[in-house]
Amino acid sequence: MADTHYRICPVCEATCGLKLTVEDGKITDIRGDKDDPFSRGYMCPKGVALRDLHEDPDRLRTPLIKEDGKHRPATWEEAWAKIAENVPAIRDAYGPDSIAIYTGNPSAHKLSSMLFGKGVRQAVGTKNAFSASTLDQMPKQLSAGLMFGTWSSIPVPDIDRTDLLVILGGNPLVSNGSIWTVPDFRGRLRELQQRGGKCVVIDPKRTMTAEAADQHHFIRPGTDVFLLAALANHLFAAGLANPGKVAPYTQGLDALRPHLAPFTPEVVADVTGIEADDIKSLAEALANTDRAVLYGRIGTCIQRYGTTASALVDIVNILAGNLDVEGGAMFPKAAIFADNTMPAKGAPSDAPGFGRGIIKGRKHSRVRGAPEVAGEFPAAILTEEIITPGDGQVRALITMAGNPVLSSPDGSALSDALDQLDFMVSVDIYLNETTRHADVILPGTSPLEEGHYDVLLNQFATRNVARYSKPIFPETDVPAEWKTLASLARVLGGQSPDLPADTMSPEEILDMMFGRSAYAGDGLTFEKVAAADHGIDLGPLTPRIPEVLRMPEGKIDLAPAEILADMDDATADLAARRKTAQETGRNALLLIGRRDTRSNNSWMHNLPVLAKGPNRCTLEIHPDDARAHNIGEGGRARVKSALTQDEIELDVAITDKIMPGTISIPHGWGHDAKGANMKKALENPGVNMNRMVSREHVDPLSGTAVMTGVPVSISVA
Ligand SMILES: Nc1nc2c(c(=O)[nH]1)N[C@H]1C(S)=C(S)[C@@H](COP(=O)(O)OP(=O)(O)OC[C@H]3O[C@@H](n4cnc5c(=O)[nH]c(N)nc54)[C@H](O)[C@@H]3O)O[C@H]1N2
Ligand SMILES: Nc1nc2c(c(=O)[nH]1)N[C@H]1C(S)=C(S)[C@@H](COP(=O)(O)OP(=O)(O)OC[C@H]3O[C@@H](n4cnc5c(=O)[nH]c(N)nc54)[C@H](O)[C@@H]3O)O[C@H]1N2
Ligand code: SF4
Ligand SMILES: [Mo]
């Protein structure tokens, strides 16, 4: 008997609707759901790989306990007892801050983790909370908070109605979009071009997105802040700065302008590598095209000026009259869970459009005094908090769906640091580079074993939708992950793991949330959403200013003090960079990262359907640079970081798609760690490029690690 199931793919931010066929308890087919109003039948190879993930023999089905340096399967009773014996004792002896928590990326894609992960942190009560956000989008969250008043009010391109899409530091054709939920990007781009629109990509690599676009400019890594400030500057210079219909809701325009003055297109041209005339035409096109939008993503975030660059993306959109208009940058209106659809607590006015804004820096980290942002510290400081002795030293760690040994800066140092912990617990689906350090590993579930609703990603969706998926194999192997997390919170708090009978399930929570949905007035209920196999389409994005704002004055702040001060640092930096370039005539060789369609950060390399094919963990280098270093195609190169002094070796791929002076290595590789158990991944382990990335270098405003534009040297291996 074949059953058909519909469900949302939880792997990346595109949230594609899938159609699965199950026969006799086995998945026999996975394809894109043509009737999904949002993803329209699109899917990528990772959607197909959900079957391999579900069936992966290396995926954990029982807890593991580490004894004499080796992991062995354990019962749940043993695992809970071991945690109960150790963690509360550490807290009693050294205080809650001695226990750190790291939450990884898949948590943002799982209903269980979104609803029950917080409870784990609350149970510990630690200030030492870390996540992948400070390896990723925290700059966008902070700039949104400073300008619009909540951490998630990030406007996204209205691609379905735009005529000019400018992409800076994103490769959505491969990544499938980020902080912009845009399934079937390729199809949507094609439609844009068919209606006469254009796409421009600015990236140190001529990526797949750049090749599909109408225009591409190379940009020197880490220089986006200069380019963006010059775009804004030129809008003023050309008399094109006009926020249009949002003008009455802006403040700070006059304060902003003088800080942009040093960044003329002429001055930034030789530092960014983009001609002054190109910068001017781009600014003019953004202002003069009726429906135009600028989008900035991870390439613009994981750099020294990540937050300011992110703020400038929105500022350019505002100055060019492209915010909150059809075809421009718009604010999605998620059905549930969005801070910007609910009344703000403690706001000066309870009218929609007012709020308290955001607060940061309520606490500082022990060793370097980094400010808390959105309740967390930079992932880049985790190592120093573990290895630096003294009061408040981190002695225990809990990771949930995270692999910071591969994903965060200076992975070798973090791996060594984890060995020093008194105790470590991981909730994960693999015994991998990070979890091999854990004393207890609690298994998470296969995504197909749980119900799904995108708590976060609907807040960044290019079209408003509400879609729920039922579990296909409910609790086949292991308890639902929300139960594990809820029990973990209890055990950490000194209670028994048994959940009280009145614990609300995720579905009960969704039902309650839909009761106060932004669409409740339109009759939307969880019952209706759950009954709709393909989800419910809530229509195209609609203008939301002023109602979306949560600032005390009810206005968009174009000149937050922190951003202005950072722009002044950038001014000094620009002068220094020009001087160095003029004096030496040369720039350092800079390392950037890249993503591959058949990969997702560090954790899908054990799936046969994705692992097949050529080695993907290669060093890409421009022919001129290869020649200058005597490196030939098919050879191997040694890369040394000027920051960590660590060295790695890998195969070379010579390509003119990469900007001269820049090399690229994908992150998420290096699967040959002793004690891990991912047999397929071990066949082609690759190397961890984050060993080149320094723990010291962060965007000082958001704490986000500088992971692009890392100075390196190379030689023949
Ligand atoms: N140089 C460089 N470094 C980068 C980036 C970059 O562009 N360049 N990108 C950064 C970005 S954007 C991110 S988001 C981070 C990611 O950083 P992390 O989130 O730390 O790393 P992931 O590789 O996503 O690892 C996810 C972990 O979750 C586990 N997992 C997968 N599914 C589940 C599940 O359903 N339940 C549980 N409990 N566990 C699960 C996996 O086994 C793995 O251990 O990496 C960052 N690192
Ligand atoms: N296939 C696949 N899809 C993924 C993931 C994956 O690992 N694989 N990871 C998921 C995650 S967690 C995230 S956060 C998203 C990220 O989604 P995207 O932001 O689209 O990420 P990337 O594909 O890394 O694209 C970043 C681009 O920035 C460029 N870049 C690097 N440095 C600079 C710079 O200084 N300036 C500019 N302008 N550009 C620069 C890089 O060359 C690259 O093309 O992807 C998600 N989707
Ligand atoms: S693009 Fe691929 S990985 Fe992302 S949601 Fe769609 S099918 Fe899943
Ligand atoms: Mo990410």
Side-chain angles (χ1 to χ4, degrees):
M1 249 291 281
D3 291 320
T4 301
H5 300 265
Y6 296 95
R7 74 156 290 139
I8 299 160
C9 173
V11 171
C12 88
E13 295 173 56
T15 72
C16 302
L18 305 179
K19 180 179 175 189
L20 290 91
T21 310
V22 176
E23 287 176 57
D24 304 323
K26 287 253 169 214
I27 305 158
T28 53
D29 188 57
I30 304 183
R31 59 187 63 200
D33 174 10
K34 285 200 291 294
D35 298 317
D36 185 298
F38 190 35
S39 60
R40 320 183 301 189
Y42 176 81
M43 74 183 298
C44 86
K46 293 185 291 297
V48 179
L50 288 179
R51 171 172 40 193
D52 284 4
L53 178 62
H54 188 72
E55 294 171 359
D56 188 348
D58 291 339
R59 185 168 58 77
L60 303 180
R61 267 88 172 171
T62 68
L64 301 183
I65 286 184
K66 197 175 190 177
E67 268 170 11
D68 306 322
K70 280 187 80 170
H71 284 94
R72 64 152 176 97
T75 64
W76 282 90
E77 289 70 27
E78 286 177 295
W80 293 130
K82 185 117 182 158
I83 297 169
E85 237 167 73
N86 285 278
V87 185
I90 293 173
R91 187 187 35 224
D92 292 346
Y94 304 106
D97 294 340
S98 66
I99 304 165
I101 295 191
Y102 176 92
T103 310
N105 167 278
S107 301
H109 299 257
K110 201 160 195 171
L111 181 59
S112 279
S113 323
M114 284 307 295
L115 299 181
F116 290 84
K118 240 188 233 151
V120 173
R121 178 172 166 199
Q122 279 160 357
V124 178
T126 180
K127 72 170 185 178
N128 282 314
F130 303 88
S131 85
S133 293
T134 51
L135 308 171
D136 188 349
Q137 83 293 345
M138 192 60 97
K140 290 193 87 71
Q141 289 187 254
L142 177 56
S143 73
L146 293 171
M147 293 177 66
F148 307 115
T150 82
W151 299 103
S152 56
S153 293
I154 301 171
V156 302
D158 180 18
I159 188 171
D160 294 339
R161 292 178 293 190
T162 199
D163 292 324
L164 173 63
L165 170 62
V166 180
I167 298 178
L168 187 62
N171 185 13
L173 216 57
V174 170
S175 69
N176 288 292
S178 182
I179 315 298
W180 182 26
T181 289
V182 56
D184 191 19
F185 174 81
R186 183 184 282 279
R188 292 182 139 99
L189 174 63
R190 205 177 295 129
E191 287 162 12
L192 186 165
Q193 290 167 323
Q194 276 162 1
R195 61 179 181 264
K198 296 225 167 336
C199 176
V200 179
V201 172
I202 303 170
D203 195 297
K205 184 172 167 190
R206 195 165 68 246
T207 58
M208 271 170 72
T209 308
E211 289 191 324
D214 303 273
Q215 213 184 87
H216 167 244
H217 301 281
F218 281 133
I219 182 169
R220 202 158 163 75
T223 64
D224 298 78
V225 71
F226 309 124
L227 168 71
L228 288 158
L231 290 172
N233 174 309
H234 186 66
L235 289 172
F236 279 112
L240 292 169
N242 179 2
K245 60 155 267 231
V246 304
Y249 303 102
T250 59
Q251 65 180 28
L253 198 64
D254 295 338
L256 168 70
R257 193 171 172 177
H259 294 267
L260 295 170
F263 302 95
T264 61
E266 287 75 13
V267 168
V268 307
D270 48 344
V271 172
T272 57
I274 305 179
E275 307 266 333
D277 283 345
D278 289 334
I279 298 175
K280 290 180 191 173
S281 332
L282 192 62
E284 288 162 24
L286 280 165
N288 293 333
T289 308
D290 254 4
R291 296 162 175 235
V293 61
L294 170 65
Y295 163 72
R297 195 48 281 263
I298 198 164
T300 62
C301 290
I302 48 174
Q303 47 172 282
R304 159 63 187 81
Y305 298 99
T307 302
T308 299
S310 299
L312 282 165
V313 167
D314 290 332
I315 287 171
V316 168
N317 277 327
I318 292 168
L319 295 178
N322 295 330
L323 184 72
D324 204 43
V325 293
E326 283 184 14
M330 301 190 79
F331 296 95
K333 185 173 170 188
I336 49 175
F337 293 115
D339 279 351
N340 65 28
T341 59
M342 303 189 219
K345 284 184 216 108
S349 158
D350 59 6
F354 290 85
R356 274 196 310 183
I358 54 153
I359 305 167
K360 66 172 266 230
R362 289 163 298 187
K363 297 215 162 125
H364 289 81
S365 72
R366 178 180 65 107
V367 179
R368 78 171 79 165
E372 148 279 325
V373 177
E376 48 186 274
F377 287 138
I381 72 166
L382 177 56
T383 301
E384 72 198 30
E385 292 295 334
I386 298 172
I387 63 174
T388 313
D391 249 13
Q393 180 178 6
V394 167
R395 291 164 190 273
L397 174 68
I398 299 164
T399 70
M400 295 181 282
N403 193 4
V405 166
L406 294 193
S407 57
S408 73
D410 205 352
S412 310
L414 178 60
S415 189
D416 292 345
L418 297 183
D419 281 334
Q420 294 186 19
L421 291 168
D422 292 350
F423 200 75
M424 177 170 161
V425 183
S426 292
V427 185
D428 208 285
I429 58 172
Y430 286 113
L431 176 53
N432 66 15
E433 302 74 24
T434 295
T435 61
R436 75 194 174 99
H437 296 278
D439 297 281
V440 178
I441 310 176
L442 303 172
T445 50
S446 141
L448 305 180
E449 293 173 324
E450 296 200 45
H452 184 76
Y453 186 91
D454 280 298
V455 169
L456 209 58
L457 303 174
N458 287 322
Q459 301 184 38
F460 310 118
T462 212
R463 194 174 169 91
N464 293 315
V465 287
R467 297 173 302 164
Y468 167 80
S469 321
K470 299 176 193 66
I472 299 179
F473 305 104
E475 303 194 61
T476 322
D477 288 327
V478 283
E481 202 157 334
W482 66 270
K483 292 184 182 165
T484 301
L485 294 172
S487 293
L488 176 60
R490 288 177 56 83
V491 172
L492 295 171
Q495 295 170 291
S496 89
D498 305 329
L499 299 182
D502 62 354
T503 310
M504 281 174 90
S505 70
E507 282 71 12
E508 286 166 328
I509 297 174
L510 287 175
D511 188 47
M512 179 185 76
M513 294 306 288
F514 269 96
R516 40 180 131 115
S517 159
Y519 300 82
D522 309 324
L524 190 69
T525 59
F526 180 55
E527 216 184 330
K528 284 187 189 167
V529 173
D533 275 341
H534 316 286
I536 293 186
D537 182 26
L538 299 168
L541 304 184
T542 50
R544 291 196 59 196
I545 285 181
E547 151 275 316
V548 73
L549 301 175
R550 292 290 180 277
M551 298 289 273
E553 294 85 16
K555 298 224 163 130
I556 304 166
D557 190 357
L558 294 174
E562 285 184 71
I563 300 291
L564 296 187
D566 203 44
M567 284 175 64
D568 296 344
D569 287 353
T571 306
D573 194 353
L574 177 65
R577 288 188 195 219
R578 292 187 79 209
K579 191 153 172 272
T580 318
Q582 280 159 4
E583 278 170 10
T584 64
R586 262 170 7 105
N587 291 303
L589 189 63
L590 300 180
L591 170 64
I592 65 170
R594 66 172 189 269
R595 288 179 155 75
D596 184 275
T597 309
R598 291 178 172 272
S599 186
N600 189 53
N601 298 327
S602 75
W603 65 276
M604 296 191 93
H605 298 146
N606 206 50
L607 308 178
V609 66
L610 299 178
K612 63 186 180 202
N615 174 19
R616 297 185 177 90
C617 185
T618 57
L619 179 153
E620 292 185 346
I621 185 167
H622 189 273
D624 295 350
D625 292 320
R627 220 171 295 122
H629 293 91
N630 292 317
I631 291 170
E633 178 71 38
R636 276 176 80 76
R638 175 173 301 144
V639 185
K640 181 172 182 186
S641 167
L643 304 179
T644 63
Q645 307 304 325
D646 205 349
E647 290 184 331
I648 55 176
E649 262 185 42
L650 70 172
D651 294 347
V652 168
I654 298 175
T655 169
D656 67 359
K657 292 183 185 179
I658 188 131
M659 184 176 188
T662 303
I663 60 168
S664 137
I665 306 176
H667 75 281
W669 294 88
H671 299 300
D672 48 1
K674 212 169 140 256
N677 182 30
M678 300 197 300
K679 294 178 214 60
K680 188 75 199 171
L682 188 59
E683 291 171 16
N684 182 13
V687 289
N688 177 8
M689 67 87 82
N690 277 325
R691 286 167 49 190
M692 305 288 96
V693 176
S694 159
R695 296 183 274 125
E696 303 302 327
H697 294 243
V698 300
D699 161 25
L701 302 191
S702 69
T704 302
V706 178
M707 305 178 100
T708 193
V710 177
V712 292
S713 57
I714 52 169
S715 53
V716 179

